[in-house]
Amino acid sequence: MTDKINKSISEVLPDFFSKNQVDEFQYIFNSSLESKSNTEVFQKENSLDFKVEAGLSYRSQIDLLVTFAENKLEREKFLSLLLYLGQASITNGEFSAAIDVNEKIINLTKDDRNMANLAANAHLLIGEIYSRQASWQNCLESINIAIGLFSSISDVKGIAKCENLLGTVYGDLGDIQKAVESFESALEKSNDELNYTQKGKIEINLGIVKSIKGLFDEALVYFKRALVNYQKVNDKKRIAEIHQNIGMVYFKKGDYKLALNEFDESLALGIETNYQQQIGIVYLSKASVYSSLNDYSLANAFADKSLEVSHKLNDKLTIADVYKIKGIIQKNVSNFLLAENYLLTSMRLNDEAGNQLNLAETYQELGLLYKQMDKITESKRYLNLAMKYFKEINSETDILTIQKLLGDF
């Protein structure tokens, strides 16, 4: 296969088509490119050389393949291909394509009880996309439809997948208690020794909750347990997520060397699998580390790269976080006016997205900025706003930090 076809598509073609059919699709695709110039290929040599593709090439491949497959494959096999393409599109950051593919699955399986599982998974994947874009109402509607379909066929594991996603939504919205309840309910339904992947997903999320609360050792237990599960099935995308989360624990503990090692592991796997959202998140994490190491030039470079990826994906939560770290960088180089603008932008985006945790973290940074600017009233106001939320979720580490800051006035 030529390298012009996206890897996630080329590697799966032999699973669905005969060799002659694969060659036929290759010919169709090559013909579609004859009048086009070559796209820019991304380089691995340096982690900052990752190129964000425009998306048209990948999307055109999906369009051509769906049309080709619809005329070649039996219904069930065609639906299985669509489900795979929907998930692959999410990984590649092609959310519009993913939604279209999953909506096609939903339309093709409408009112067919024998296909309820496929339809439910399609709704769940659409819910996952909306969660990444902070479109909470659409997300919750999709999850609830999926729960109804899974319930109609008594698919307990399917319901567990829905509850796990619900937990991440509640976590993003700052309701940590509801998040924990959803994760624990999902874990109970997935209590199967061989169900490595689903248990691993839930353990990752429970680890994130522990990390938010400052319970770092407990968080590491969950992450390392999940890592073992995903290594059993060699799921490189999830392994990348776990290395990122372990790195964040080390970062919060102030062990920057170990944090960078974990982030580099995550980034390498993210690039290998073209997991674009993960790549954007790791760039942001590396920016945070280099800012803490006072290497503001490198920190800013990684922040800008994260912003580039996140804008392409419309990943609103990461975009808000990038502005926060850019604000911290500018504060540390005494460019207070630009720092204020970045932090207020982060605050606005987090408020619009309903992300209470990130909003509280931005309040804290604004409190630090205004303290440095001798705007004491404003500093106290934002620190107290942050304190209010951290008390709600019982984050002892953050509470103690803000108490100390307020005590210094």
Side-chain angles (χ1 to χ4, degrees):
M1 298 300 295
T2 175
D3 58 7
K4 290 178 182 176
I5 291 185
N6 185 279
K7 182 181 177 184
S8 64
I9 294 176
S10 64
E11 67 185 9
V12 79
L13 289 179
D15 295 336
F16 290 91
F17 302 100
S18 68
K19 184 180 183 305
N20 287 340
Q21 289 173 330
V22 171
D23 291 340
E24 183 181 348
F25 177 72
Q26 178 70 67
Y27 174 79
I28 291 170
F29 180 70
N30 287 343
S31 298
S32 75
L33 293 178
E34 283 180 359
S35 62
K36 296 180 181 180
S37 59
N38 290 331
T39 57
E40 194 172 0
V41 183
F42 107 152
Q43 303 294 321
K44 291 185 183 179
E45 284 77 7
N46 187 296
S47 59
L48 279 173
D49 286 341
F50 177 72
K51 300 295 187 296
V52 182
E53 297 178 2
L56 177 61
S57 177
Y58 177 85
R59 181 55 191 264
S60 67
Q61 291 175 46
I62 292 292
D63 290 339
L64 289 170
L65 181 57
V66 169
T67 301
F68 178 79
E70 198 162 15
N71 296 318
K72 303 288 184 183
L73 301 179
E74 294 179 358
R75 183 169 180 251
E76 287 190 18
K77 200 168 185 180
F78 177 57
L79 287 167
S80 295
L81 175 63
L82 290 179
L83 195 63
Y84 169 82
L85 291 176
Q87 185 61 68
S89 296
I90 293 175
T91 299
N92 285 303
E94 300 292 342
F95 294 152
S96 176
I99 288 175
D100 287 349
V101 167
N102 281 289
E103 285 181 343
K104 186 171 183 65
I105 292 173
I106 291 165
N107 288 331
L108 289 172
T109 57
K110 193 181 300 180
D111 301 324
D112 186 344
R113 180 176 171 77
N114 293 327
M115 294 291 177
N117 185 275
L118 270 175
N121 277 291
H123 281 291
L124 186 59
L125 283 173
I126 290 174
E128 182 181 341
I129 294 166
Y130 284 133
S131 76
R132 294 179 184 217
Q133 299 181 327
S135 180
W136 306 121
Q137 184 175 344
N138 289 329
C139 171
L140 291 171
E141 286 176 1
S142 296
I143 295 173
N144 285 329
I145 293 172
I147 290 174
L149 287 168
F150 282 128
S151 297
S152 72
I153 55 175
S154 302
D155 187 338
V156 176
K157 291 180 181 177
I159 296 170
K161 290 193 293 186
C162 294
E163 289 179 337
N164 186 49
L165 181 55
L166 270 177
T168 65
V169 172
Y170 288 135
D172 286 335
L173 291 172
D175 193 334
I176 302 302
Q177 184 57 41
K178 272 192 174 182
V180 171
E181 290 172 1
S182 296
F183 294 144
E184 289 180 344
S185 177
L187 190 60
E188 184 179 347
K189 292 181 177 67
S190 306
N191 194 17
D192 177 350
E193 282 188 20
L194 299 179
N195 196 8
Y196 301 128
T197 56
Q198 186 58 27
K199 286 177 70 175
K201 286 181 185 179
I202 301 164
E203 285 167 343
I204 290 172
N205 289 327
L206 286 168
I208 291 171
V209 170
K210 296 295 185 182
S211 182
I212 288 170
K213 291 189 170 187
L215 303 172
F216 301 130
D217 291 338
E218 292 181 38
L220 286 173
V221 169
Y222 276 114
F223 291 143
K224 291 181 178 180
R225 189 185 299 160
L227 184 60
V228 169
N229 281 329
Y230 280 115
Q231 285 172 336
K232 289 177 181 176
V233 293
N234 195 31
D235 189 332
K236 293 181 179 179
K237 298 182 187 73
R238 294 297 180 186
I239 292 171
E241 292 176 2
I242 295 167
H243 281 299
Q244 154 69 24
N245 285 311
I246 291 174
M248 284 306 299
V249 172
Y250 288 137
F251 171 66
K252 290 178 180 180
K253 293 178 73 171
D255 197 332
Y256 301 137
K257 184 177 180 181
L258 283 177
L260 285 172
N261 288 341
E262 294 292 333
F263 294 149
D264 287 339
E265 287 273 358
S266 179
L267 185 58
L269 289 168
I271 290 174
E272 180 184 343
T273 57
N274 197 35
Y275 191 176
Q276 295 200 22
Q277 186 173 48
Q278 187 63 27
I279 291 168
I281 291 170
V282 177
Y283 281 146
L284 175 62
S285 298
K286 294 191 75 165
S288 299
V289 173
Y290 285 116
S291 176
S292 296
L293 291 171
N294 302 324
D295 190 340
Y296 301 122
S297 178
L298 195 52
N300 200 51
F302 276 110
D304 285 342
K305 202 67 182 178
S306 178
L307 194 61
E308 180 185 354
V309 177
S310 301
H311 272 308
K312 188 252 180 180
L313 303 179
N314 193 28
D315 182 351
K316 294 178 181 178
L317 301 183
T318 301
I319 291 168
D321 254 1
V322 172
Y323 282 117
K324 182 184 72 179
I325 190 62
K326 286 177 76 69
I328 293 170
I329 292 167
Q330 294 305 316
K331 171 177 67 70
N332 289 338
V333 297
S334 300
N335 191 350
F336 297 141
L337 190 61
L338 184 56
E340 181 182 36
N341 187 284
Y342 281 145
L343 290 173
L344 289 174
T345 298
S346 178
M347 182 182 74
R348 174 178 60 80
L349 293 175
N350 279 313
D351 188 42
E352 290 172 357
N355 191 319
Q356 297 303 307
L357 174 60
N358 287 1
L359 184 60
E361 291 174 349
T362 305
Y363 286 153
Q364 182 175 337
E365 293 301 331
L366 278 165
L368 289 169
L369 172 66
Y370 287 130
K371 184 177 183 181
Q372 202 166 332
M373 295 171 69
D374 290 326
K375 294 185 175 181
I376 304 305
T377 301
E378 287 294 287
S379 177
K380 287 182 178 179
R381 173 172 170 254
Y382 282 108
L383 289 174
N384 280 312
L385 284 171
M387 175 71 86
K388 180 181 178 183
Y389 175 74
F390 290 134
K391 282 183 175 179
E392 286 177 8
I393 65 169
N394 194 30
S395 179
E396 293 181 9
T397 303
D398 292 308
I399 292 169
L400 290 172
T401 298
I402 295 178
Q403 283 177 339
K404 186 177 184 304
L405 289 170
L406 289 169
D408 289 340
F409 286 110

